[in-house]
């Protein structure tokens, strides 16, 4: 996905900042609606093998929010996915009091197992914003989650660590997102035969990622497609319609598309 982008950087940055502030204001209003964990449908037995008619159903999609956020950040993305044929979409809230990314990754694993049992599907797709993408990556790489996760899409996730706002490092989860943290060193370790495909969206105007390239995923053992987004900031990634289109395309892409680069300008 490629669009033309001709604005000078200062103007683009001003526009992106204004959009970030508008999104933040809207999200503050929506935040209370996502505080409570979403209700889960009643369990249904797995489909009987060999009885399906027509194309195979799409894998369930799990949405995982970022630091001090909740599932309300995905209201627009969820609607977009549902309108385009994704019938099983689930969101997971993890507590802001969580002190270790690994704990949240284990919770995600239990959540994924429950979804697979309920829907009868062997694998899921995951979309993670910011810290949520890092939690999902830890589950995939370090907790055997590649057995369950077909595609992991990350949005503005600090794969290489971010150095923004040093004073914020008082929170243990923020410290784990610092460059060179023990968690990031674990994720940099070899990951042979990892079955999950990764698609990483990173923005050249993301002021939470320092440097902005920190949201690129570069690992020799992983199947990765990095998509550069121009014209928007960190908070806009899970809500902008052009990014939603890119996410839908990433989930629909054939295995042969893995490893390709991409770019998108949404200014």
């Amino acid at each position: 996905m490629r669009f033309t982008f001709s604005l000078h950087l200062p103007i683009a940055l001003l526009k992106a900042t204004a959009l970030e502030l508008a999104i933040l204001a809207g999200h503050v209003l929506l935040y209370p609606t996502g505080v409570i964990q979403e209700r889960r449908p009643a369990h249904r037995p797995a489909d009987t093998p060999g009885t399906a008619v027509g194309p195979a159903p799409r894998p369930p999609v799990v949405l995982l929010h970022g630091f001090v956020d909740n599932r309300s950040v995905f209201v627009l993305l969820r609607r977009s996915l549902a309108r385009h044929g994704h019938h099983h979409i689930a969101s997971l809230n993890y507590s802001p009091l969580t002190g270790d990314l690994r704990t949240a990754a284990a919770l995600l694993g239990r959540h994924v197992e429950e979804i697979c049992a309920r829907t009868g599907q062997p694998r899921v797709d995951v979309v993670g914003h910011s810290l949520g993408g890092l939690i999902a990556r830890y589950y995939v790489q370090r907790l055997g989650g590649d057995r369950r996760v077909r595609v992991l899409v990350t949005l503005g996730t600090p794969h290489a660590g971010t150095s923004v706002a040093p004073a914020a490092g008082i929170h243990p989860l923020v410290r784990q997102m610092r460059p060179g943290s023990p968690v990031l060193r674990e994720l940099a370790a070899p990951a042979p035969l990892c079955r999950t495909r990764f698609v990483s969206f990173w923005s050249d105007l993301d002021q939470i990622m320092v440097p902005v390239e920190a949201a690129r995923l570069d690992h020799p053992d992983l199947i990765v497609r990095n998509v550069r987004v121009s014209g928007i900031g960190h908070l806009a990634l899970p809500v902008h319609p052009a990014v939603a289109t890119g996410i839908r395309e990433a989930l629909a892409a054939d295995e042969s598309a893995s490893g390709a680069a991409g770019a998108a300008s949404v200014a």
Side-chain angles (χ1 to χ4, degrees):
M1 180 174 58
R2 185 183 296 275
F3 304 89
T4 59
F5 176 58
S6 59
L7 294 176
H8 295 298
L9 181 59
I11 299 175
L13 184 58
L14 285 174
K15 290 183 64 176
T17 301
L19 180 59
E20 291 283 280
L21 292 174
I23 291 171
L24 178 61
H27 190 42
V28 168
L29 296 176
L30 282 175
Y31 191 92
T33 68
V35 170
I36 300 174
Q37 199 78 262
E38 71 178 1
R39 296 179 61 183
R40 300 178 185 179
H43 174 86
R44 74 168 182 82
D47 295 331
T48 304
T51 61
V53 178
R58 293 179 175 178
V61 179
V62 181
L63 307 174
L64 193 60
H65 64 80
F67 181 60
V68 296
D69 212 335
N70 64 36
R71 61 187 177 87
S72 63
V73 72
F74 290 117
V75 168
L76 296 180
L77 177 59
R78 188 180 189 123
R79 290 176 183 170
S80 176
L81 292 172
R83 284 198 304 267
H84 289 83
H86 292 271
H87 301 302
H88 297 290
I89 306 170
S91 300
L92 172 64
N93 280 354
Y94 55 90
S95 171
L97 301 178
T98 301
D100 191 335
L101 181 153
R102 303 171 185 88
T103 300
L107 173 63
L108 172 62
R110 293 192 294 271
H111 190 68
V112 167
E113 290 298 326
E114 185 274 332
I115 291 171
C116 289
R118 170 163 47 84
T119 63
Q121 295 297 314
R123 305 189 81 186
V124 304
D125 293 335
V126 179
V127 179
H129 179 227
S130 196
L131 175 62
L134 208 59
I135 290 170
R137 183 182 164 194
Y138 192 92
Y139 165 59
V140 166
Q141 279 187 241
R142 306 296 295 178
L143 302 181
D146 65 316
R147 179 177 63 91
R148 288 297 195 192
V149 178
R150 185 186 69 112
V151 180
L152 170 55
V153 177
T154 65
L155 310 172
T157 289
H159 292 292
T162 177
S163 302
V164 71
I170 190 171
H171 195 289
L173 283 181
V174 175
R175 291 197 297 272
Q176 291 183 327
M177 289 188 282
R178 294 288 187 203
S181 72
V183 164
L184 292 182
R185 289 200 299 270
E186 284 186 61
L187 292 175
L193 305 179
C194 182
R195 290 162 282 190
T196 299
R197 288 191 291 123
F198 295 81
V199 181
S200 176
F201 287 81
W202 65 283
S203 172
D204 56 11
L205 295 181
D206 189 335
Q207 298 181 65
I208 302 299
M209 296 297 107
V210 179
V212 293
E213 292 85 3
R216 285 180 52 92
L217 176 51
D218 297 300
H219 191 296
D221 295 334
L222 301 180
I223 305 167
V224 182
R225 178 176 177 238
N226 284 297
V227 180
R228 175 175 174 167
V229 180
S230 296
I232 61 174
H234 190 76
L235 297 179
L237 285 167
V239 303
H240 200 284
V243 177
T245 298
I247 293 170
R248 296 196 310 269
E249 291 174 352
L251 298 183
D254 186 81
E255 297 282 343
S256 61
S258 301
S265 173
V266 295

